[in-house]
Amino acid sequence: MKFEIPSLPYAKDALEPHLSAETLELHYEKHHKGYLRKLQNEIDGKPEAERELEDLVRTSGGDVFNNAAQIWNHSFYWKSMKPGGGGSPTGDLAKEIETYFGSADGFRQTFRAAATGEFGSGWAWLVRGPLGRLSVRSSSDADNPVHKGLTPLLTIDVWEHAYYVDYRNERGRYVDAFLEHLVDWDFVARNLDAAKRAEVREG
Ligand code: MN
């Protein structure tokens, strides 16, 4: 079976005190790897097993979609953070954030509202649409922007398992810590740059 999940891009205690090693241990080893096991059980011996993960996310439904998307979302979430992250974007990305959200603070407020406002389990995203417009979206359960033809630039997992050990029911404090101390803006900038370069190739 070819589906794999990448190693965490940092040690499990590297995001402390904002996210504990206990949270990363549970979230990566139990939840993220759990989705991989479930997907493998679901598609073992079927044609889907020969397809790319992102292709399954784009085109499948039901349990195959749920597990494939959760694998994809979590791999993207780990890369959305780094030790010593946070702060504000720079360069080209900063200009675009300013264009669509007024300022870095405007972006943070919009993103926080989406992340705390998602009623149940889900995700909040910064995405780039087909016309190059940046926007913030939330999605429920495993749903994600790839499935809708949008390009994700950043995500936060707001399922309770992402923050309950460290923040109990206080999702807002987790979202604030993510924005202030964890966001990897270099990752966001690389995603924006890749989306623009892909467009030039297609154009
Ligand atoms: Mn999760």
mmCIF file of all heavy atoms in Angstrom, residues 139-188:
data_model
loop_
_atom_site.group_PDB
_atom_site.id
_atom_site.type_symbol
_atom_site.label_atom_id
_atom_site.label_comp_id
_atom_site.label_asym_id
_atom_site.label_seq_id
_atom_site.Cartn_x
_atom_site.Cartn_y
_atom_site.Cartn_z
ATOM 1 N N SER A 139 -14.509 24.651 7.354
ATOM 2 C CA SER A 139 -15.092 23.437 6.788
ATOM 3 C C SER A 139 -15.419 22.492 7.923
ATOM 4 O O SER A 139 -14.774 22.515 8.967
ATOM 5 C CB SER A 139 -14.143 22.795 5.776
ATOM 6 O OG SER A 139 -12.989 22.301 6.425
ATOM 7 N N SER A 140 -16.443 21.649 7.708
ATOM 8 C CA SER A 140 -16.897 20.740 8.751
ATOM 9 C C SER A 140 -16.302 19.348 8.568
ATOM 10 O O SER A 140 -16.093 18.904 7.440
ATOM 11 C CB SER A 140 -18.418 20.582 8.699
ATOM 12 O OG SER A 140 -19.020 21.807 9.015
ATOM 13 N N ASP A 141 -16.073 18.698 9.679
ATOM 14 C CA ASP A 141 -15.562 17.321 9.682
ATOM 15 C C ASP A 141 -14.284 17.227 8.855
ATOM 16 O O ASP A 141 -13.339 17.930 9.135
ATOM 17 C CB ASP A 141 -16.653 16.348 9.220
ATOM 18 C CG ASP A 141 -17.884 16.431 10.135
ATOM 19 O OD1 ASP A 141 -17.700 16.703 11.332
ATOM 20 O OD2 ASP A 141 -19.009 16.252 9.655
ATOM 21 N N ALA A 142 -14.286 16.369 7.805
ATOM 22 C CA ALA A 142 -13.057 16.208 7.011
ATOM 23 C C ALA A 142 -13.013 17.141 5.820
ATOM 24 O O ALA A 142 -12.011 17.195 5.110
ATOM 25 C CB ALA A 142 -12.945 14.766 6.522
ATOM 26 N N ASP A 143 -14.094 17.856 5.564
ATOM 27 C CA ASP A 143 -14.193 18.614 4.311
ATOM 28 C C ASP A 143 -13.024 19.590 4.165
ATOM 29 O O ASP A 143 -12.510 20.108 5.143
ATOM 30 C CB ASP A 143 -15.523 19.375 4.277
ATOM 31 C CG ASP A 143 -15.905 19.728 2.837
ATOM 32 O OD1 ASP A 143 -15.244 19.242 1.896
ATOM 33 O OD2 ASP A 143 -16.868 20.494 2.667
ATOM 34 N N ASN A 144 -12.638 19.832 2.919
ATOM 35 C CA ASN A 144 -11.498 20.734 2.702
ATOM 36 C C ASN A 144 -11.606 21.466 1.364
ATOM 37 O O ASN A 144 -12.401 21.091 0.505
ATOM 38 C CB ASN A 144 -10.186 19.970 2.890
ATOM 39 C CG ASN A 144 -9.758 19.242 1.647
ATOM 40 O OD1 ASN A 144 -10.391 19.318 0.612
ATOM 41 N ND2 ASN A 144 -8.668 18.533 1.742
ATOM 42 N N PRO A 145 -10.824 22.519 1.190
ATOM 43 C CA PRO A 145 -10.947 23.364 -0.007
ATOM 44 C C PRO A 145 -10.499 22.683 -1.299
ATOM 45 O O PRO A 145 -10.957 23.070 -2.378
ATOM 46 C CB PRO A 145 -10.022 24.553 0.293
ATOM 47 C CG PRO A 145 -9.761 24.510 1.750
ATOM 48 C CD PRO A 145 -9.873 23.088 2.163
ATOM 49 N N VAL A 146 -9.601 21.707 -1.206
ATOM 50 C CA VAL A 146 -9.129 21.008 -2.414
ATOM 51 C C VAL A 146 -10.327 20.395 -3.137
ATOM 52 O O VAL A 146 -10.438 20.439 -4.363
ATOM 53 C CB VAL A 146 -8.114 19.900 -2.035
ATOM 54 C CG1 VAL A 146 -7.725 19.068 -3.253
ATOM 55 C CG2 VAL A 146 -6.875 20.507 -1.394
ATOM 56 N N HIS A 147 -11.231 19.847 -2.342
ATOM 57 C CA HIS A 147 -12.447 19.218 -2.843
ATOM 58 C C HIS A 147 -13.310 20.222 -3.619
ATOM 59 O O HIS A 147 -14.119 19.844 -4.452
ATOM 60 C CB HIS A 147 -13.208 18.696 -1.618
ATOM 61 C CG HIS A 147 -14.239 17.660 -1.904
ATOM 62 N ND1 HIS A 147 -13.954 16.473 -2.533
ATOM 63 C CD2 HIS A 147 -15.560 17.616 -1.632
ATOM 64 C CE1 HIS A 147 -15.056 15.748 -2.639
ATOM 65 N NE2 HIS A 147 -16.041 16.422 -2.098
ATOM 66 N N LYS A 148 -13.136 21.507 -3.320
ATOM 67 C CA LYS A 148 -13.955 22.548 -3.958
ATOM 68 C C LYS A 148 -13.173 23.318 -5.025
ATOM 69 O O LYS A 148 -13.622 24.356 -5.501
ATOM 70 C CB LYS A 148 -14.451 23.540 -2.898
ATOM 71 C CG LYS A 148 -15.334 22.903 -1.848
ATOM 72 C CD LYS A 148 -15.920 23.961 -0.916
ATOM 73 C CE LYS A 148 -17.024 23.405 -0.043
ATOM 74 N NZ LYS A 148 -16.499 22.472 0.986
ATOM 75 N N GLY A 149 -11.982 22.847 -5.362
ATOM 76 C CA GLY A 149 -11.200 23.490 -6.414
ATOM 77 C C GLY A 149 -10.456 24.739 -5.957
ATOM 78 O O GLY A 149 -10.009 25.538 -6.779
ATOM 79 N N LEU A 150 -10.332 24.927 -4.639
ATOM 80 C CA LEU A 150 -9.576 26.072 -4.114
ATOM 81 C C LEU A 150 -8.187 25.595 -3.678
ATOM 82 O O LEU A 150 -7.987 24.411 -3.419
ATOM 83 C CB LEU A 150 -10.314 26.678 -2.911
ATOM 84 C CG LEU A 150 -11.742 27.143 -3.188
ATOM 85 C CD1 LEU A 150 -12.473 27.432 -1.883
ATOM 86 C CD2 LEU A 150 -11.730 28.383 -4.074
ATOM 87 N N THR A 151 -7.245 26.527 -3.594
ATOM 88 C CA THR A 151 -5.887 26.170 -3.180
ATOM 89 C C THR A 151 -5.663 26.559 -1.722
ATOM 90 O O THR A 151 -5.651 27.750 -1.398
ATOM 91 C CB THR A 151 -4.849 26.924 -4.048
ATOM 92 O OG1 THR A 151 -5.136 26.627 -5.415
ATOM 93 C CG2 THR A 151 -3.444 26.485 -3.710
ATOM 94 N N PRO A 152 -5.480 25.585 -0.832
ATOM 95 C CA PRO A 152 -5.221 25.921 0.568
ATOM 96 C C PRO A 152 -3.839 26.537 0.746
ATOM 97 O O PRO A 152 -2.872 26.116 0.112
ATOM 98 C CB PRO A 152 -5.258 24.560 1.280
ATOM 99 C CG PRO A 152 -5.865 23.609 0.320
ATOM 100 C CD PRO A 152 -5.562 24.131 -1.049
ATOM 101 N N LEU A 153 -3.784 27.570 1.574
ATOM 102 C CA LEU A 153 -2.497 28.193 1.894
ATOM 103 C C LEU A 153 -2.107 27.962 3.352
ATOM 104 O O LEU A 153 -0.928 27.965 3.690
ATOM 105 C CB LEU A 153 -2.557 29.704 1.625
ATOM 106 C CG LEU A 153 -2.939 30.149 0.204
ATOM 107 C CD1 LEU A 153 -3.013 31.670 0.125
ATOM 108 C CD2 LEU A 153 -1.972 29.598 -0.833
ATOM 109 N N LEU A 154 -3.112 27.779 4.230
ATOM 110 C CA LEU A 154 -2.879 27.644 5.680
ATOM 111 C C LEU A 154 -4.097 26.958 6.288
ATOM 112 O O LEU A 154 -5.213 27.199 5.832
ATOM 113 C CB LEU A 154 -2.747 29.044 6.305
ATOM 114 C CG LEU A 154 -2.692 29.136 7.832
ATOM 115 C CD1 LEU A 154 -1.334 28.652 8.344
ATOM 116 C CD2 LEU A 154 -2.913 30.575 8.304
ATOM 117 N N THR A 155 -3.869 26.133 7.309
ATOM 118 C CA THR A 155 -5.037 25.596 8.016
ATOM 119 C C THR A 155 -4.788 25.451 9.509
ATOM 120 O O THR A 155 -3.636 25.352 9.945
ATOM 121 C CB THR A 155 -5.486 24.233 7.453
ATOM 122 O OG1 THR A 155 -6.818 23.957 7.917
ATOM 123 C CG2 THR A 155 -4.575 23.078 7.894
ATOM 124 N N ILE A 156 -5.886 25.455 10.262
ATOM 125 C CA ILE A 156 -5.869 25.074 11.676
ATOM 126 C C ILE A 156 -6.942 24.017 11.892
ATOM 127 O O ILE A 156 -8.054 24.129 11.367
ATOM 128 C CB ILE A 156 -6.093 26.293 12.610
ATOM 129 C CG1 ILE A 156 -6.008 25.855 14.082
ATOM 130 C CG2 ILE A 156 -7.428 26.978 12.339
ATOM 131 C CD1 ILE A 156 -6.033 27.019 15.084
ATOM 132 N N ASP A 157 -6.556 22.986 12.625
ATOM 133 C CA ASP A 157 -7.477 21.910 13.004
ATOM 134 C C ASP A 157 -8.237 22.375 14.246
ATOM 135 O O ASP A 157 -7.616 22.704 15.260
ATOM 136 C CB ASP A 157 -6.637 20.662 13.321
ATOM 137 C CG ASP A 157 -7.452 19.426 13.644
ATOM 138 O OD1 ASP A 157 -8.657 19.550 13.950
ATOM 139 O OD2 ASP A 157 -6.862 18.328 13.608
ATOM 140 N N VAL A 158 -9.570 22.436 14.160
ATOM 141 C CA VAL A 158 -10.340 22.831 15.346
ATOM 142 C C VAL A 158 -11.214 21.700 15.877
ATOM 143 O O VAL A 158 -12.185 21.934 16.596
ATOM 144 C CB VAL A 158 -11.156 24.135 15.136
ATOM 145 C CG1 VAL A 158 -10.220 25.318 14.958
ATOM 146 C CG2 VAL A 158 -12.130 24.052 13.982
ATOM 147 N N TRP A 159 -10.846 20.449 15.532
ATOM 148 C CA TRP A 159 -11.462 19.317 16.227
ATOM 149 C C TRP A 159 -10.991 19.386 17.687
ATOM 150 O O TRP A 159 -9.858 19.806 17.953
ATOM 151 C CB TRP A 159 -10.991 17.990 15.618
ATOM 152 C CG TRP A 159 -11.557 17.661 14.258
ATOM 153 C CD1 TRP A 159 -11.536 18.442 13.138
ATOM 154 C CD2 TRP A 159 -12.215 16.441 13.879
ATOM 155 N NE1 TRP A 159 -12.137 17.784 12.096
ATOM 156 C CE2 TRP A 159 -12.559 16.556 12.515
ATOM 157 C CE3 TRP A 159 -12.537 15.256 14.569
ATOM 158 C CZ2 TRP A 159 -13.216 15.540 11.820
ATOM 159 C CZ3 TRP A 159 -13.182 14.246 13.876
ATOM 160 C CH2 TRP A 159 -13.523 14.385 12.525
ATOM 161 N N GLU A 160 -11.815 18.936 18.620
ATOM 162 C CA GLU A 160 -11.409 19.036 20.030
ATOM 163 C C GLU A 160 -10.102 18.293 20.319
ATOM 164 O O GLU A 160 -9.317 18.707 21.168
ATOM 165 C CB GLU A 160 -12.524 18.513 20.949
ATOM 166 C CG GLU A 160 -13.609 19.551 21.150
ATOM 167 C CD GLU A 160 -14.623 19.162 22.203
ATOM 168 O OE1 GLU A 160 -14.664 17.974 22.588
ATOM 169 O OE2 GLU A 160 -15.372 20.046 22.629
ATOM 170 N N HIS A 161 -9.863 17.202 19.581
ATOM 171 C CA HIS A 161 -8.631 16.436 19.869
ATOM 172 C C HIS A 161 -7.374 17.277 19.611
ATOM 173 O O HIS A 161 -6.305 16.948 20.104
ATOM 174 C CB HIS A 161 -8.600 15.109 19.095
ATOM 175 C CG HIS A 161 -8.514 15.232 17.597
ATOM 176 N ND1 HIS A 161 -9.362 14.551 16.740
ATOM 177 C CD2 HIS A 161 -7.687 15.940 16.798
ATOM 178 C CE1 HIS A 161 -9.040 14.850 15.487
ATOM 179 N NE2 HIS A 161 -8.041 15.679 15.492
ATOM 180 N N ALA A 162 -7.500 18.355 18.832
ATOM 181 C CA ALA A 162 -6.334 19.192 18.518
ATOM 182 C C ALA A 162 -5.918 20.060 19.705
ATOM 183 O O ALA A 162 -4.774 20.509 19.768
ATOM 184 C CB ALA A 162 -6.643 20.084 17.314
ATOM 185 N N TYR A 163 -6.844 20.323 20.627
ATOM 186 C CA TYR A 163 -6.528 21.304 21.684
ATOM 187 C C TYR A 163 -7.014 20.947 23.084
ATOM 188 O O TYR A 163 -6.649 21.607 24.047
ATOM 189 C CB TYR A 163 -7.081 22.681 21.295
ATOM 190 C CG TYR A 163 -8.596 22.749 21.116
ATOM 191 C CD1 TYR A 163 -9.439 23.016 22.188
ATOM 192 C CD2 TYR A 163 -9.175 22.545 19.863
ATOM 193 C CE1 TYR A 163 -10.815 23.080 22.014
ATOM 194 C CE2 TYR A 163 -10.550 22.614 19.676
ATOM 195 C CZ TYR A 163 -11.368 22.879 20.759
ATOM 196 O OH TYR A 163 -12.728 22.936 20.582
ATOM 197 N N TYR A 164 -7.814 19.878 23.228
ATOM 198 C CA TYR A 164 -8.487 19.653 24.508
ATOM 199 C C TYR A 164 -7.516 19.383 25.661
ATOM 200 O O TYR A 164 -7.730 19.846 26.783
ATOM 201 C CB TYR A 164 -9.502 18.509 24.382
ATOM 202 C CG TYR A 164 -10.633 18.633 25.372
ATOM 203 C CD1 TYR A 164 -11.726 19.462 25.106
ATOM 204 C CD2 TYR A 164 -10.597 17.965 26.591
ATOM 205 C CE1 TYR A 164 -12.751 19.610 26.027
ATOM 206 C CE2 TYR A 164 -11.623 18.093 27.512
ATOM 207 C CZ TYR A 164 -12.701 18.930 27.230
ATOM 208 O OH TYR A 164 -13.708 19.079 28.140
ATOM 209 N N VAL A 165 -6.435 18.655 25.389
ATOM 210 C CA VAL A 165 -5.463 18.354 26.446
ATOM 211 C C VAL A 165 -4.864 19.652 27.004
ATOM 212 O O VAL A 165 -4.677 19.796 28.207
ATOM 213 C CB VAL A 165 -4.328 17.439 25.899
ATOM 214 C CG1 VAL A 165 -3.157 17.366 26.876
ATOM 215 C CG2 VAL A 165 -4.875 16.049 25.581
ATOM 216 N N ASP A 166 -4.585 20.597 26.120
ATOM 217 C CA ASP A 166 -3.899 21.829 26.534
ATOM 218 C C ASP A 166 -4.844 22.970 26.903
ATOM 219 O O ASP A 166 -4.504 23.803 27.732
ATOM 220 C CB ASP A 166 -2.977 22.315 25.407
ATOM 221 C CG ASP A 166 -1.915 21.279 25.083
ATOM 222 O OD1 ASP A 166 -1.345 20.710 26.036
ATOM 223 O OD2 ASP A 166 -1.685 21.010 23.895
ATOM 224 N N TYR A 167 -5.986 23.041 26.253
ATOM 225 C CA TYR A 167 -6.867 24.203 26.434
ATOM 226 C C TYR A 167 -8.273 23.836 26.910
ATOM 227 O O TYR A 167 -9.117 24.713 27.046
ATOM 228 C CB TYR A 167 -6.970 24.992 25.112
ATOM 229 C CG TYR A 167 -5.642 25.538 24.648
ATOM 230 C CD1 TYR A 167 -4.850 24.826 23.752
ATOM 231 C CD2 TYR A 167 -5.165 26.749 25.138
ATOM 232 C CE1 TYR A 167 -3.612 25.315 23.339
ATOM 233 C CE2 TYR A 167 -3.937 27.256 24.736
ATOM 234 C CZ TYR A 167 -3.164 26.532 23.834
ATOM 235 O OH TYR A 167 -1.947 27.031 23.435
ATOM 236 N N ARG A 168 -8.491 22.529 27.163
ATOM 237 C CA ARG A 168 -9.850 22.071 27.510
ATOM 238 C C ARG A 168 -10.852 22.617 26.490
ATOM 239 O O ARG A 168 -10.648 22.496 25.323
ATOM 240 C CB ARG A 168 -10.212 22.472 28.961
ATOM 241 C CG ARG A 168 -9.302 21.833 29.974
ATOM 242 C CD ARG A 168 -9.378 20.314 29.906
ATOM 243 N NE ARG A 168 -8.283 19.683 30.660
ATOM 244 C CZ ARG A 168 -8.045 18.386 30.641
ATOM 245 N NH1 ARG A 168 -8.797 17.569 29.916
ATOM 246 N NH2 ARG A 168 -7.049 17.873 31.320
ATOM 247 N N ASN A 169 -11.916 23.252 26.959
ATOM 248 C CA ASN A 169 -12.947 23.706 26.014
ATOM 249 C C ASN A 169 -12.655 25.083 25.411
ATOM 250 O O ASN A 169 -13.467 25.611 24.663
ATOM 251 C CB ASN A 169 -14.299 23.751 26.731
ATOM 252 C CG ASN A 169 -14.254 24.669 27.926
ATOM 253 O OD1 ASN A 169 -13.250 24.710 28.638
ATOM 254 N ND2 ASN A 169 -15.313 25.429 28.157
ATOM 255 N N GLU A 170 -11.497 25.664 25.738
ATOM 256 C CA GLU A 170 -11.254 27.056 25.332
ATOM 257 C C GLU A 170 -10.598 27.126 23.945
ATOM 258 O O GLU A 170 -9.400 27.403 23.830
ATOM 259 C CB GLU A 170 -10.399 27.760 26.373
ATOM 260 C CG GLU A 170 -11.119 27.862 27.715
ATOM 261 C CD GLU A 170 -10.257 28.565 28.747
ATOM 262 O OE1 GLU A 170 -10.159 29.799 28.677
ATOM 263 O OE2 GLU A 170 -9.675 27.881 29.603
ATOM 264 N N ARG A 171 -11.408 26.897 22.932
ATOM 265 C CA ARG A 171 -10.891 26.882 21.568
ATOM 266 C C ARG A 171 -10.264 28.229 21.184
ATOM 267 O O ARG A 171 -9.271 28.277 20.475
ATOM 268 C CB ARG A 171 -12.012 26.528 20.580
ATOM 269 C CG ARG A 171 -11.479 26.292 19.175
ATOM 270 C CD ARG A 171 -12.575 26.240 18.127
ATOM 271 N NE ARG A 171 -13.344 25.008 18.163
ATOM 272 C CZ ARG A 171 -14.323 24.740 17.276
ATOM 273 N NH1 ARG A 171 -14.618 25.604 16.324
ATOM 274 N NH2 ARG A 171 -15.004 23.612 17.353
ATOM 275 N N GLY A 172 -10.851 29.316 21.660
ATOM 276 C CA GLY A 172 -10.346 30.646 21.310
ATOM 277 C C GLY A 172 -8.907 30.858 21.762
ATOM 278 O O GLY A 172 -8.110 31.474 21.054
ATOM 279 N N ARG A 173 -8.551 30.313 22.944
ATOM 280 C CA ARG A 173 -7.171 30.475 23.430
ATOM 281 C C ARG A 173 -6.191 29.690 22.560
ATOM 282 O O ARG A 173 -5.062 30.097 22.335
ATOM 283 C CB ARG A 173 -7.060 30.028 24.893
ATOM 284 C CG ARG A 173 -7.663 31.032 25.875
ATOM 285 C CD ARG A 173 -6.938 30.963 27.226
ATOM 286 N NE ARG A 173 -7.017 29.625 27.801
ATOM 287 C CZ ARG A 173 -5.947 28.918 28.190
ATOM 288 N NH1 ARG A 173 -4.730 29.392 28.065
ATOM 289 N NH2 ARG A 173 -6.127 27.708 28.695
ATOM 290 N N TYR A 174 -6.650 28.527 22.096
ATOM 291 C CA TYR A 174 -5.827 27.710 21.177
ATOM 292 C C TYR A 174 -5.620 28.450 19.856
ATOM 293 O O TYR A 174 -4.494 28.537 19.338
ATOM 294 C CB TYR A 174 -6.530 26.366 20.978
ATOM 295 C CG TYR A 174 -6.184 25.590 19.718
ATOM 296 C CD1 TYR A 174 -4.878 25.153 19.462
ATOM 297 C CD2 TYR A 174 -7.180 25.241 18.807
ATOM 298 C CE1 TYR A 174 -4.587 24.405 18.318
ATOM 299 C CE2 TYR A 174 -6.897 24.501 17.671
ATOM 300 C CZ TYR A 174 -5.598 24.095 17.427
ATOM 301 O OH TYR A 174 -5.317 23.364 16.298
ATOM 302 N N VAL A 175 -6.687 29.018 19.324
ATOM 303 C CA VAL A 175 -6.583 29.736 18.050
ATOM 304 C C VAL A 175 -5.652 30.949 18.200
ATOM 305 O O VAL A 175 -4.819 31.223 17.333
ATOM 306 C CB VAL A 175 -7.980 30.172 17.540
ATOM 307 C CG1 VAL A 175 -7.859 31.007 16.269
ATOM 308 C CG2 VAL A 175 -8.871 28.954 17.308
ATOM 309 N N ASP A 176 -5.765 31.640 19.331
ATOM 310 C CA ASP A 176 -4.874 32.788 19.577
ATOM 311 C C ASP A 176 -3.409 32.346 19.635
ATOM 312 O O ASP A 176 -2.538 33.002 19.066
ATOM 313 C CB ASP A 176 -5.240 33.488 20.898
ATOM 314 C CG ASP A 176 -6.546 34.265 20.778
ATOM 315 O OD1 ASP A 176 -6.963 34.578 19.638
ATOM 316 O OD2 ASP A 176 -7.164 34.543 21.829
ATOM 317 N N ALA A 177 -3.142 31.234 20.320
ATOM 318 C CA ALA A 177 -1.761 30.737 20.425
ATOM 319 C C ALA A 177 -1.245 30.344 19.047
ATOM 320 O O ALA A 177 -0.088 30.615 18.696
ATOM 321 C CB ALA A 177 -1.701 29.544 21.383
ATOM 322 N N PHE A 178 -2.110 29.717 18.259
ATOM 323 C CA PHE A 178 -1.735 29.340 16.890
ATOM 324 C C PHE A 178 -1.317 30.579 16.099
ATOM 325 O O PHE A 178 -0.266 30.604 15.455
ATOM 326 C CB PHE A 178 -2.935 28.634 16.243
ATOM 327 C CG PHE A 178 -2.742 28.251 14.792
ATOM 328 C CD1 PHE A 178 -2.222 27.005 14.451
ATOM 329 C CD2 PHE A 178 -3.099 29.115 13.767
ATOM 330 C CE1 PHE A 178 -2.056 26.637 13.111
ATOM 331 C CE2 PHE A 178 -2.937 28.766 12.424
ATOM 332 C CZ PHE A 178 -2.412 27.520 12.105
ATOM 333 N N LEU A 179 -2.151 31.617 16.166
ATOM 334 C CA LEU A 179 -1.874 32.826 15.372
ATOM 335 C C LEU A 179 -0.665 33.594 15.908
ATOM 336 O O LEU A 179 0.139 34.107 15.141
ATOM 337 C CB LEU A 179 -3.106 33.734 15.349
ATOM 338 C CG LEU A 179 -4.261 33.228 14.478
ATOM 339 C CD1 LEU A 179 -5.538 34.013 14.759
ATOM 340 C CD2 LEU A 179 -3.911 33.302 12.990
ATOM 341 N N GLU A 180 -0.525 33.642 17.223
ATOM 342 C CA GLU A 180 0.542 34.462 17.812
ATOM 343 C C GLU A 180 1.896 33.770 17.850
ATOM 344 O O GLU A 180 2.939 34.423 17.769
ATOM 345 C CB GLU A 180 0.155 34.882 19.241
ATOM 346 C CG GLU A 180 -0.894 35.981 19.264
ATOM 347 C CD GLU A 180 -1.507 36.171 20.655
ATOM 348 O OE1 GLU A 180 -0.803 35.904 21.661
ATOM 349 O OE2 GLU A 180 -2.687 36.566 20.723
ATOM 350 N N HIS A 181 1.896 32.436 17.970
ATOM 351 C CA HIS A 181 3.176 31.749 18.232
ATOM 352 C C HIS A 181 3.515 30.606 17.283
ATOM 353 O O HIS A 181 4.632 30.091 17.334
ATOM 354 C CB HIS A 181 3.165 31.174 19.660
ATOM 355 C CG HIS A 181 2.919 32.200 20.715
ATOM 356 N ND1 HIS A 181 3.854 33.149 21.059
ATOM 357 C CD2 HIS A 181 1.826 32.449 21.497
ATOM 358 C CE1 HIS A 181 3.367 33.932 22.015
ATOM 359 N NE2 HIS A 181 2.132 33.529 22.290
ATOM 360 N N LEU A 182 2.585 30.149 16.487
ATOM 361 C CA LEU A 182 2.831 28.906 15.745
ATOM 362 C C LEU A 182 2.766 29.015 14.221
ATOM 363 O O LEU A 182 3.441 28.238 13.532
ATOM 364 C CB LEU A 182 1.839 27.821 16.218
ATOM 365 C CG LEU A 182 1.943 27.421 17.693
ATOM 366 C CD1 LEU A 182 0.820 26.460 18.068
ATOM 367 C CD2 LEU A 182 3.297 26.795 17.992
ATOM 368 N N VAL A 183 1.966 29.901 13.673
ATOM 369 C CA VAL A 183 1.809 29.957 12.207
ATOM 370 C C VAL A 183 3.163 30.051 11.509
ATOM 371 O O VAL A 183 3.985 30.912 11.849
ATOM 372 C CB VAL A 183 1.022 31.213 11.765
ATOM 373 C CG1 VAL A 183 1.011 31.325 10.228
ATOM 374 C CG2 VAL A 183 -0.385 31.169 12.261
ATOM 375 N N ASP A 184 3.383 29.202 10.517
ATOM 376 C CA ASP A 184 4.600 29.284 9.707
ATOM 377 C C ASP A 184 4.287 30.087 8.437
ATOM 378 O O ASP A 184 3.821 29.538 7.436
ATOM 379 C CB ASP A 184 5.091 27.877 9.350
ATOM 380 C CG ASP A 184 6.405 27.911 8.586
ATOM 381 O OD1 ASP A 184 6.839 29.019 8.183
ATOM 382 O OD2 ASP A 184 6.990 26.837 8.380
ATOM 383 N N TRP A 185 4.554 31.375 8.499
ATOM 384 C CA TRP A 185 4.234 32.245 7.360
ATOM 385 C C TRP A 185 5.078 31.928 6.135
ATOM 386 O O TRP A 185 4.682 32.202 5.005
ATOM 387 C CB TRP A 185 4.378 33.727 7.752
ATOM 388 C CG TRP A 185 3.220 34.233 8.572
ATOM 389 C CD1 TRP A 185 3.239 34.630 9.881
ATOM 390 C CD2 TRP A 185 1.858 34.385 8.132
ATOM 391 N NE1 TRP A 185 1.987 35.006 10.280
ATOM 392 C CE2 TRP A 185 1.118 34.878 9.227
ATOM 393 C CE3 TRP A 185 1.204 34.152 6.931
ATOM 394 C CZ2 TRP A 185 -0.251 35.139 9.153
ATOM 395 C CZ3 TRP A 185 -0.160 34.407 6.844
ATOM 396 C CH2 TRP A 185 -0.870 34.895 7.959
ATOM 397 N N ASP A 186 6.269 31.337 6.364
ATOM 398 C CA ASP A 186 7.097 30.943 5.211
ATOM 399 C C ASP A 186 6.407 29.833 4.421
ATOM 400 O O ASP A 186 6.464 29.809 3.194
ATOM 401 C CB ASP A 186 8.474 30.451 5.675
ATOM 402 C CG ASP A 186 9.290 31.578 6.304
ATOM 403 O OD1 ASP A 186 9.062 32.747 5.930
ATOM 404 O OD2 ASP A 186 10.123 31.276 7.170
ATOM 405 N N PHE A 187 5.757 28.925 5.141
ATOM 406 C CA PHE A 187 4.998 27.855 4.461
ATOM 407 C C PHE A 187 3.859 28.459 3.639
ATOM 408 O O PHE A 187 3.636 28.096 2.483
ATOM 409 C CB PHE A 187 4.461 26.886 5.524
ATOM 410 C CG PHE A 187 3.538 25.816 5.005
ATOM 411 C CD1 PHE A 187 4.003 24.833 4.131
ATOM 412 C CD2 PHE A 187 2.200 25.784 5.395
ATOM 413 C CE1 PHE A 187 3.148 23.837 3.658
ATOM 414 C CE2 PHE A 187 1.351 24.788 4.924
ATOM 415 C CZ PHE A 187 1.823 23.812 4.058
ATOM 416 N N VAL A 188 3.154 29.420 4.216
ATOM 417 C CA VAL A 188 2.044 30.080 3.511
ATOM 418 C C VAL A 188 2.566 30.776 2.254
ATOM 419 O O VAL A 188 1.986 30.664 1.171
ATOM 420 C CB VAL A 188 1.333 31.099 4.428
ATOM 421 C CG1 VAL A 188 0.163 31.748 3.711
ATOM 422 C CG2 VAL A 188 0.869 30.437 5.727
#
